[in-house]
Amino acid sequence: MPTSRKAPAATPFPGGLNPGVLRDNISYLTRAVRAVVQQNAPDDLEEGGLLAGQLAALALIAANEGVSQNDLARAMLMKKSQVTAVIQDLVVRGHVDRLASATDRRYNALSLTAQGTALWKRSSERMVKHSDAVMKPLAAAERRELLRLLQKLVGSHLSEP
Amino acid sequence: MPTSRKAPAATPFPGGLNPGVLRDNISYLTRAVRAVVQQNAPDDLEEGGLLAGQLAALALIAANEGVSQNDLARAMLMKKSQVTAVIQDLVVRGHVDRLASATDRRYNALSLTAQGTALWKRSSERMVKHSDAVMKPLAAAERRELLRLLQKLVGSHLSEP
DNA sequence: TATTGTTATACTCTATAACTATA
DNA sequence: TATAGTTATAGAGTATAACAATA
């Protein structure tokens, strides 16, 4: 019997264990990747005591001047109460301006301060490097495909909730 | 100028925002998928107040009778202290037996009780259904490829840490 | 009434280090 | 001395609901 016929994947599993149903479980796998992401984060990823979500907030504010906290919450898949905490700290630290919208004063229009812009410039480079480092074990085509599939998965669930 | 030439991906982004560098960031994307996974979890996924990691522990013990807590920690990418808490609760609930190994009494050999086996039988079905539900927006080939890439990514980082 | 954002609260998850017991 | 597991603790992440301000 030829050995090449439908070899059973032989996925190396952490600790040499039999993965059982976990091998094809998206919950387990994404949790595992999150752990890998955390472990590969450089100590200086979050400059000056910034929290993880605050970097993502900076990224989105930088790319969407005047965005509201509600839209930010949707984009980051966070509760609005969580966004309040994230933004409040960024405001206190002087990285973000939070102004009530002129047309509808329920909204906060968020923007980066000069200091926030400078911080983001430094941070974004580290952020991209970190992501690249995590993805390094994959070939270029695989990296693109993984990102595409994750984007599609998230996008699909958010467009039809 | 033809509009079809290298269209800019047009990835729909939550909240209609410009994703900026987050679009290709593995940290952001996996965090987003984790949120989707959580939101799609049925209320009865974890029967009887079980915690998330406890299901994964059941899965691994079921597939690896007599496994040690250390190997479990590696496979689940958890700290051993975290595994202690997870297992302790499963032991108290009567789902898991924890016996000092006969050959080296530092090790605990974990196994499912009859009750734990019955629980796992029920839970594993819900677990697989949950994963399938989350993956549903992807085509079958895409699902396979996403799982393969996540497995490869995790496996690569754990084999050469 | 409905929506944006805030506050308060609780629970889960994760990380660290000191400790024990076995080897 | 090295390893498996335990304990204690702190911090980060997340979910819920009640609330104020604005529309």
Side-chain angles (χ1 to χ4, degrees):
Chain A
M1 180 181 182
T3 59
S4 61
R5 187 189 160 279
K6 204 164 193 180
T11 314
F13 203 76
L17 297 189
N18 177 356
V21 299
L22 257 40
R23 206 198 51 168
D24 292 334
N25 186 268
I26 188 66
S27 178
Y28 164 78
L29 284 171
T30 51
R31 201 192 137 284
V33 174
R34 288 293 303 163
V36 167
V37 165
Q38 295 287 90
Q39 287 162 12
N40 283 70
D43 289 340
D44 64 344
L45 212 208
E46 292 116 10
E47 181 178 337
L50 248 47
L51 297 182
Q54 294 184 306
L55 270 189
L58 284 182
L60 287 173
I61 298 173
N64 302 273
E65 197 78 1
V67 67
S68 75
Q69 294 186 195
N70 238 3
D71 286 348
L72 216 56
R74 261 191 294 276
M76 302 202 300
L77 295 114
M78 282 182 172
K79 303 294 175 185
K80 57 183 182 174
S81 56
Q82 205 175 345
V83 171
T84 296
V86 165
I87 296 302
Q88 209 145 52
D89 189 68
L90 289 174
V91 169
V92 168
R93 290 168 185 271
H95 301 313
V96 166
D97 271 336
R98 178 180 44 182
L99 293 166
S101 160
T103 56
D104 186 337
R105 299 185 41 223
R106 288 176 303 183
Y107 291 77
N108 285 339
L110 303 174
S111 56
L112 296 185
T113 62
Q115 180 190 322
T117 303
L119 172 63
W120 171 238
K121 190 171 159 52
R122 294 192 298 275
S123 299
S124 63
E125 292 171 13
R126 286 194 288 258
M127 214 172 154
V128 171
K129 268 187 195 164
H130 173 216
S131 186
D132 289 350
V134 170
M135 300 288 270
K136 200 176 179 197
L138 301 183
E142 291 179 324
R143 290 197 286 265
R144 280 192 300 273
E145 185 64 0
L146 176 56
L147 294 173
R148 185 186 76 80
L149 291 171
L150 292 173
Q151 288 158 10
K152 179 173 180 180
L153 193 54
V154 173
S156 303
H157 280 280
L158 293 192
S159 56
E160 3 163 328
Chain B
M1 181 185 183
T3 59
S4 62
R5 186 189 160 279
K6 203 165 193 181
T11 314
F13 205 74
L17 297 189
N18 177 356
V21 299
L22 256 40
R23 205 196 53 166
D24 292 334
N25 186 268
I26 189 66
S27 178
Y28 165 79
L29 285 171
T30 52
R31 201 191 137 283
V33 174
R34 288 293 303 163
V36 167
V37 165
Q38 297 286 89
Q39 288 161 12
N40 283 70
D43 288 341
D44 64 344
L45 211 208
E46 292 117 9
E47 183 179 336
L50 248 49
L51 296 182
Q54 295 184 306
L55 270 190
L58 284 182
L60 287 173
I61 298 173
N64 303 271
E65 197 77 1
V67 66
S68 74
Q69 295 186 197
N70 236 4
D71 286 348
L72 217 56
R74 261 191 294 276
M76 304 202 298
L77 295 116
M78 283 182 172
K79 302 294 176 185
K80 56 183 183 173
S81 55
Q82 204 174 347
V83 171
T84 296
V86 164
I87 295 302
Q88 208 145 52
D89 189 67
L90 288 174
V91 169
V92 168
R93 289 168 184 271
H95 302 313
V96 166
D97 272 337
R98 179 181 42 182
L99 293 166
S101 161
T103 55
D104 186 336
R105 299 187 40 225
R106 288 175 300 184
Y107 290 78
N108 285 339
L110 304 174
S111 56
L112 296 186
T113 62
Q115 179 189 323
T117 303
L119 171 63
W120 171 238
K121 190 172 159 50
R122 294 192 300 275
S123 299
S124 63
E125 292 171 11
R126 287 195 287 261
M127 214 171 153
V128 171
K129 269 187 196 165
H130 173 218
S131 186
D132 289 350
V134 170
M135 300 288 271
K136 201 177 177 196
L138 301 183
E142 289 179 325
R143 290 197 286 266
R144 281 192 300 272
E145 184 64 0
L146 176 56
L147 293 173
R148 185 187 76 81
L149 292 171
L150 292 174
Q151 287 158 9
K152 179 172 180 181
L153 194 54
V154 173
S156 303
H157 280 280
L158 293 192
S159 56
E160 3 163 327

